[in-house]
Amino acid sequence: KMASKTRGYVGVLGWMSAKAKYVDKICGWWRTQGFEAYPLLTGPPELFCPTWRGKPTGAAFADKLRNAAAKDKQAPVFFHAFSGQGAAMLAHTFRGMEESEKRRIAGCVLDSCSGAMDRHSALGGMRSAFYAQPKIGDALAPVF
């Protein structure tokens, strides 16, 4: 059971076609550290068509985090993205957030995400939208 006072909120963005049990294990680790963690599982359709199944996937995930984080407006928000799919979904999530919500982002963990590529290449265009991601801040230091 979660403590009444959270250390923050974490959006865990899985790799392409990740199984829920593996992403849930990562969310579980964050929960043991005192954070509330929320997973996002996506497949190939969401990468190529982010509006698959109605509302854009990133905007829907931003809504989910917004509703959760409304309980404690002082708690920071973190993201833990895995692989290229997680990075792409993170970029889409940022687009679904208001500027005031983006200021609450205390850090991002980019786990197995590719580095920035030339913005003229096919994948580089997708990743170039991600150049402005927040860096891991001092707020994450007490976690590790």
Side-chain angles (χ1 to χ4, degrees), residues 4-129:
S4 60
K5 181 81 171 147
T6 183
R7 290 181 66 191
Y9 301 89
V10 182
V12 179
L13 301 102
W15 53 97
M16 186 179 296
S17 301
K19 296 202 182 312
K21 69 179 183 178
Y22 299 118
V23 178
D24 287 344
K25 185 175 182 178
I26 295 158
C27 287
W29 181 84
W30 280 102
R31 290 178 186 122
T32 65
Q33 304 303 307
F35 293 86
E36 288 188 32
Y38 299 89
L40 175 63
L41 301 172
T42 56
E46 288 88 1
L47 179 62
F48 299 109
C49 183
T51 56
W52 187 260
R53 299 185 189 114
K55 188 170 189 173
T57 306
F61 191 57
D63 287 347
K64 184 177 185 176
L65 285 174
R66 179 181 302 113
N67 293 335
K71 295 180 270 183
D72 183 354
K73 296 192 185 301
Q74 300 303 313
V77 174
F78 297 92
F79 290 96
H80 191 163
F82 287 88
S83 195
Q85 180 84 354
M89 290 299 107
L90 182 55
H92 289 299
T93 300
F94 286 165
R95 287 187 201 110
M97 297 175 79
E98 301 292 329
E99 286 303 314
S100 62
E101 295 170 323
K102 290 178 185 177
R103 287 191 286 274
R104 280 185 71 181
I105 299 172
C108 293
V109 177
L110 303 176
D111 200 328
S112 305
C113 295
S114 302
M117 297 173 62
D118 178 69
R119 70 174 56 101
H120 300 291
S121 69
L123 290 176
M126 177 178 67
R127 291 195 180 108
S128 66

